[in-house]
Amino acid sequence: MHYGRVRSDLQQAERTISMALRSNIVSETEKRALEEALNLVQEAAEKCRLAQAESVRKIFSQGMSHSEGR
């Protein structure tokens, strides 16, 4: 998976939503929707980070088990 690209896109989405929240928001409904979207993007970024860490751990573990078999 392209974790770097996904993380970059999520960071851009977070910046865009944060800027929208700082702008003149028309309604409370719009504000709540943006806050919810921001929370979802932040959750997705954390899940991506965890998935990347797990992927690296598995690759490292596989590499270690292959080198032990030599």
Side-chain angles (χ1 to χ4, degrees):
M1 182 163 190
H2 303 283
Y3 293 107
R5 175 62 192 260
V6 171
R7 188 170 44 250
S8 175
D9 289 348
L10 289 168
Q11 288 170 341
Q12 180 61 46
E14 188 173 349
R15 284 191 296 271
T16 301
I17 295 167
S18 294
M19 285 187 336
L21 280 167
R22 287 191 297 270
S23 69
N24 292 332
I25 295 174
V26 178
S27 70
E28 233 1 82
T29 302
E30 183 180 13
K31 180 180 178 183
R32 281 194 308 274
L34 287 169
E35 288 170 343
E36 183 177 334
L38 182 59
N39 287 336
L40 290 171
V41 167
Q42 290 169 339
E43 286 177 30
E46 179 62 10
K47 287 179 181 180
C48 180
R49 186 191 68 76
L50 293 172
Q52 182 178 22
E54 178 66 15
S55 176
V56 168
R57 187 192 64 74
K58 283 182 180 177
I59 290 168
F60 181 75
S61 294
Q62 288 172 353
M64 293 298 290
S65 66
H66 289 296
S67 65
E68 290 172 359
R70 291 183 185 177

